[in-house]
């Protein structure tokens, strides 16, 4: 009898199994399918790709087609798109860090009552619509938009400066949309800062800049990594911002994937683009996972 | 500590202006009479009326609200279970994989998530005949999956700061685990469930990219309608819609913040000795 009850699934196993299998099926398995379809050939059919497993003359055969990956290597478009995505993501992450760090610092140092209000003010925009916040910049950056009108009125320029549909607009949009994601982990980290260390540094005669670089900054390494990953990784695959604010020549890999899928209807190439993007992001994602898990399992 | 105007305070003020100015401009121009978004043509509420007459938009709002409600609800169930597993169950086989599946959706580029789920649904449809078509169900599954991760993070934080001794006391007194969960743990983590639900709701309501991949002809969501209109340029109607969204969200956040503050104050009063005047500590 005992053996049977022991073998029956315990309630805690069920509690684990439900979210585990949901995420396994709808988050992990899809990647395996993307990998599989990246080796298929594009076909005019429903669904529009060939099967990589076929049975002919009672022989099971696998048709792995490397053509999609070879195309990514041969056509400069993809290489340029990957490189420019990485560059745009890297630069905008740095800008977010440069703006976000002082902001998080000021919030963490404010008195508790003010602190909560400030934190709410930083988070609130990200609870409204992402799409609409990106859209807001179209009206500002257009040739006859508000910023150009202001600059002409101030006499800074005689004719409108071309800002919308340029790389600058993409940077502005990304920093605007992702800044809160940088501030939050930095704030959480700065809040835990050990004040006695700062006092010790001051007592020992360190200037405020020196204290910052040798005491504060090293202690907030984890927050910097988390914030940077929360910005960098999604931005590499960003589609909405380059599509709405960028020029047609702003190449970002998220936009390329979207066009392969929706405009060219080439699902296998879109899958190959996704696989290469995922492998480029594997190290940053692992880095983020490690930080986030440490955070979630700490007592 | 003496108040002084430091570099970081200056950046913070400028940063907040940067975050809010574009939204403020949008709100102001939603009341603009002129169709030209950048020319002020007098005060008018006509774009709001036009918004109410847009059948396609209203249908999309209704669709998005339903999907967001169902996704948030399911995500709270799954996310709470997941957070519980991570905080209370310790290590088990597949522990690392489980942790990875909770944290990776937080940063995964949406185009990858969208494409991979679509390909899953198509393959599943071919193999087991479900889902037969793309529509509300597939969007619901997709949104539930990425929202679960966010809920797990929110609930996890609350579970970690919770005092485990109450739970242990109840167990020692012979309460079955299910009862302990519903009578002791659930009331304590309820605020986290609520904020997790609201977060999941807004995330689902806001998603354009994933929904574009996994939705079908009959399940156009609000962001999809907004996106196709925004692609054609700036429209005062979208400004009106943006204003309504910003006002609704601000109202909800303000109410939530006010309630949280009251709860905190009451807890503070209970902790303070009675002879001290309440609220003096601030």
């Amino acid at each position: 009898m005992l053996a049977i009850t022991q073998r029956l699934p315990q309630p805690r196993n069920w509690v684990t199994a439900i979210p585990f299998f949901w995420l396994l099926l709808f988050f992990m398995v899809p990647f395996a399918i993307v990998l599989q379809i990246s080796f298929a050939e594009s076909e005019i059919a429903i669904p529009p790709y060939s099967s990589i497993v076929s049975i002919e003359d009672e022989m099971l055969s696998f048709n792995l087609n490397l053509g999609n990956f070879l195309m990514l290597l041969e056509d400069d478009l993809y290489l340029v798109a990957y490189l420019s995505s990485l560059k745009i993501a890297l630069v905008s992450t740095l800008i977010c860090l440069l703006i976000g760090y002082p902001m998080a610092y000021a919030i963490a140092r404010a008195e508790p009552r003010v602190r909560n209000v400030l934190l709410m003010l930083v988070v609130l925009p990200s609870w409204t619509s992402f799409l609409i916040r990106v859209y807001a910049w179209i009206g500002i950056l257009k040739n006859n938009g508000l910023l150009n009108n202001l600059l002409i009125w101030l006499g800074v320029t005689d004719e409108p400066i071309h800002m919308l549909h340029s790389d600058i607009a993409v940077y502005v949009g990304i920093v605007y949309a992702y800044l809160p994601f940088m501030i939050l982990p930095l704030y959480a980290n700065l809040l835990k800062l050990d004040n006695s260390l700062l006092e010790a540094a001051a007592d020992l005669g360190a200037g405020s800049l020196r204290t910052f670089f040798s005491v504060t900054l090293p202690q907030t390494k984890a927050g910097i990594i988390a914030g940077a990953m929360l910005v960098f990784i999604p931005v590499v695959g960003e589609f909405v911002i380059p599509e709405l604010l960028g020029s047609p020549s702003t190449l970002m890999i998220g936009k390329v994937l979207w066009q392969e899928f929706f405009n060219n209807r080439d699902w296998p190439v879109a899958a190959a683009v996704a696989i290469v993007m995922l492998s480029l992001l594997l190290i940053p994602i692992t880095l983020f996972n490690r930080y986030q898990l440490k955070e979630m399992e700490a007592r | 500590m003496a108040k002084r105007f430091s570099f970081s305070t200056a950046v913070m003020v400028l940063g907040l202006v940067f975050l809010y100015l574009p939204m403020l401009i949008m709100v102001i121009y939603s009341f603009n009479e002129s169709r030209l978004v950048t020319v002020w043509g007098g005060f008018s509420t006509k774009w709001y009326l036009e918004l109410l007459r847009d059948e396609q938009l209203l249908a999309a709002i209704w669709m998005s609200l339903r999907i967001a409600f169902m996704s948030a609800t399911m995500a709270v169930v799954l996310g709470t279970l997941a957070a519980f597993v991570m905080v209370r169950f310790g290590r088990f086989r597949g522990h690392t994989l489980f942790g990875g599946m909770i944290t990776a959706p937080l940063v995964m580029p949406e185009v990858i998530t969208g494409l991979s789920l679509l390909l899953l649904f198509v393959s599943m449809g071919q193999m087991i005949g479900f889902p037969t078509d793309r529509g509300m169900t597939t969007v619901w599954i997709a949104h539930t999956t990425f929202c679960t991760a966010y809920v797990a993070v929110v609930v996890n934080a609350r579970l970690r700061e919770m005092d485990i001794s109450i739970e242990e006391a109840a167990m020692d007194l012979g309460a079955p685990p299910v009862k302990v969960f519903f009578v002791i743990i659930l009331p304590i983590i309820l605020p986290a469930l609520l904020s997790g639900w609201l977060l999941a709701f807004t995330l689902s309501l806001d998603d354009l990219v994933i929904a574009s991949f996994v939705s079908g002809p009959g399940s156009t969501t609000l962001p999809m309608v907004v996106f196709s209109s925004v692609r054609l340029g700036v429209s005062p109607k979208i400004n009106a819609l943006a204003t309504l969204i910003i006002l609704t969200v601000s109202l909800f956040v303000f109410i939530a913040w006010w309630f949280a503050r009251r709860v905190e104050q009451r807890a503070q009063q209970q902790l303070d000795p009675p002879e001290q005047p309440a609220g003096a500590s601030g």
Side-chain angles (χ1 to χ4, degrees):
Chain A
M1 274 313 280
L2 197 73
I4 294 170
T5 46
Q6 269 178 347
R7 255 180 239 162
L8 278 174
Q10 291 173 296
R12 63 190 279 152
N13 289 346
W14 283 104
V15 170
T16 312
I18 297 166
F20 189 89
F21 283 106
W22 180 287
L23 290 169
L24 197 67
L25 178 58
F26 296 119
F27 189 71
M28 292 310 284
V29 172
F31 293 136
I33 293 172
V34 175
L35 186 66
Q36 178 203 330
I37 288 167
S38 71
F39 290 114
E41 263 173 89
S42 180
E43 270 181 1
I44 300 172
I46 296 172
Y49 52 84
S50 65
S51 172
I52 63 164
V53 188
S54 59
I55 299 168
E56 271 168 42
D57 306 329
E58 298 175 346
M59 285 274 282
L60 183 70
S61 62
F62 292 92
N63 314 306
L64 287 187
N65 162 37
L66 293 171
N68 304 317
F69 289 98
L70 289 176
M71 197 178 100
L72 295 191
L73 274 178
E74 281 161 10
D75 196 333
D76 274 352
L77 171 108
Y78 300 101
L79 190 66
V80 172
Y82 279 115
L83 289 178
S84 95
S85 295
L86 291 175
K87 189 194 94 187
I88 290 176
L90 192 68
V91 173
S92 36
T93 305
L94 285 176
I95 301 173
C96 279
L97 184 63
L98 288 177
I99 305 175
Y101 200 101
M103 284 182 80
Y105 190 83
I107 297 171
R109 298 267 114 177
E111 41 178 307
R113 192 179 281 193
V114 185
R115 191 196 289 156
N116 285 336
V117 177
L118 291 174
L119 194 64
M120 190 184 77
L121 284 175
V122 168
V123 180
L124 186 101
S126 56
W127 284 60
T128 67
S129 168
F130 177 87
L131 185 57
I132 274 173
R133 293 198 315 132
V134 173
Y135 155 83
W137 284 97
I138 299 179
I140 298 173
L141 297 174
K142 282 201 306 186
N143 276 352
N144 58 350
L146 286 165
L147 191 55
N148 267 316
N149 286 350
L150 181 73
L151 291 177
I152 291 170
W153 184 72
L154 287 171
V156 178
T157 172
D158 290 332
E159 47 190 276
I161 305 169
H162 177 78
M163 288 180 285
L164 184 63
H165 301 311
S166 70
D167 282 5
I168 304 230
V170 173
Y171 282 116
V172 171
I174 291 175
V175 171
Y176 183 68
Y178 285 90
L179 187 59
F181 298 107
M182 176 64 89
I183 295 177
L184 283 181
L186 282 175
Y187 164 81
N189 206 170
L190 280 163
L191 208 56
K192 287 185 285 189
L193 202 65
D194 192 349
N195 266 322
S196 59
L197 285 176
L198 296 180
E199 282 159 19
D203 288 347
L204 293 171
S208 56
L209 265 185
R210 177 140 182 230
T211 310
F212 176 76
F213 282 106
S214 54
V215 180
T216 311
L217 205 58
Q219 278 197 72
T220 48
K221 209 178 95 192
I224 294 172
I225 292 175
M229 292 306 128
L230 273 170
V231 176
F232 180 81
I233 302 167
V235 169
V236 169
E238 184 55 55
F239 161 73
V240 176
I241 297 173
E243 175 73 15
L244 291 181
L245 303 179
S247 73
S249 63
T250 311
L251 276 179
M252 282 191 76
I253 199 65
K255 210 171 109 181
V256 170
L257 191 155
W258 180 284
Q259 281 162 353
E260 290 295 350
F261 183 84
F262 287 101
N263 305 5
N264 302 346
R265 300 210 154 272
D266 195 331
W267 293 17
V269 167
V273 169
I275 289 296
V276 174
M277 197 197 312
L278 204 57
S279 46
L280 285 176
L281 291 176
L282 214 55
I283 292 170
I285 291 175
T286 318
L287 208 62
F288 174 77
N289 280 356
R290 204 183 290 166
Y291 164 83
Q292 187 67 33
L293 280 180
K294 214 195 256 173
E295 193 80 340
M296 288 176 84
E297 280 165 356
R299 272 286 169 132
Chain B
M1 201 165 68
K3 267 257 177 216
R4 62 197 172 87
F5 201 73
S6 61
F7 168 72
S8 61
T9 316
V11 175
M12 184 191 66
V13 172
L14 287 177
L16 286 177
V17 170
F18 171 65
L19 282 179
Y20 281 89
L21 201 58
M23 294 204 283
L24 187 69
I25 290 169
M26 226 168 13
V27 172
I28 293 171
Y29 275 87
S30 72
F31 294 106
N32 188 3
E33 168 79 38
S34 166
R35 171 168 282 281
L36 294 166
V37 184
T38 47
V39 180
W40 184 255
F43 182 86
S44 156
T45 50
K46 70 173 178 186
W47 302 113
Y48 289 87
L49 293 175
E50 200 134 314
L51 202 64
L52 288 177
R53 278 198 291 268
D54 192 330
E55 298 274 332
Q56 194 203 6
L57 195 76
L58 291 180
I61 291 177
W62 177 230
M63 172 63 69
S64 278
L65 286 175
R66 278 187 296 166
I67 292 176
F69 182 87
M70 294 189 300
S71 309
T73 308
M74 187 65 184
V76 164
V77 174
L78 292 174
T80 306
L81 291 178
F84 216 78
V85 170
M86 293 187 74
V87 179
R88 293 279 195 274
F89 285 9
R91 304 204 141 258
F92 58 94
R93 260 195 317 181
H95 178 267
T96 318
L97 177 64
F98 190 77
M101 292 194 302
I102 295 292
T103 56
L106 301 174
V107 288
M108 190 57 69
E110 289 168 316
V111 285
I112 295 185
T113 312
L115 178 74
S116 63
L117 272 168
L118 170 87
L119 296 180
L120 172 83
F121 291 140
V122 170
S123 307
M124 274 172 70
Q126 273 181 307
M127 273 192 287
I128 59 169
F130 172 86
T132 44
D133 254 324
R134 275 168 271 151
M136 246 175 102
T137 316
T138 47
V139 181
W140 170 71
I141 291 174
H143 283 184
T144 299
T145 306
F146 83 86
C147 289
T148 294
Y150 285 89
V151 175
V153 171
V154 173
V155 177
N156 170 285
R158 182 79 187 141
L159 275 175
R160 271 188 297 127
E161 55 190 45
M162 187 185 145
D163 189 358
I164 201 165
S165 59
I166 315 169
E167 200 180 315
E168 282 169 347
M171 293 279 238
D172 287 347
L173 293 171
V178 175
K179 192 172 176 187
V180 172
F181 179 79
F182 282 101
V183 178
I184 311 249
I185 300 172
L186 200 60
I188 295 178
I189 62 169
L190 201 61
L193 297 197
L194 208 63
S195 51
W197 191 90
L198 281 172
L199 181 61
F201 188 81
T202 55
L203 285 169
S204 163
L205 213 55
D206 194 29
D207 166 64
L208 164 74
V209 174
I210 296 172
S212 298
F213 277 98
V214 299
S215 73
S219 58
T220 309
T221 62
L222 177 65
M224 289 162 75
V225 174
V226 172
F227 184 64
S228 58
S229 143
V230 163
R231 257 181 165 168
L232 303 173
V234 180
S235 110
K237 214 159 65 175
I238 300 294
N239 284 348
L241 179 71
T243 304
L244 291 179
I245 292 176
I246 292 170
L247 284 183
T248 316
V249 170
S250 313
L251 194 72
F252 266 100
V253 170
F254 181 76
I255 292 172
W257 173 75
W258 189 75
F259 265 105
R261 219 183 63 152
R262 265 187 39 153
V263 169
E264 222 168 86
Q265 277 176 349
R266 208 175 297 160
Q268 196 63 47
Q269 276 170 16
Q270 280 168 1
L271 284 177
D272 282 342
E275 59 268 20
Q276 261 184 22
S281 56

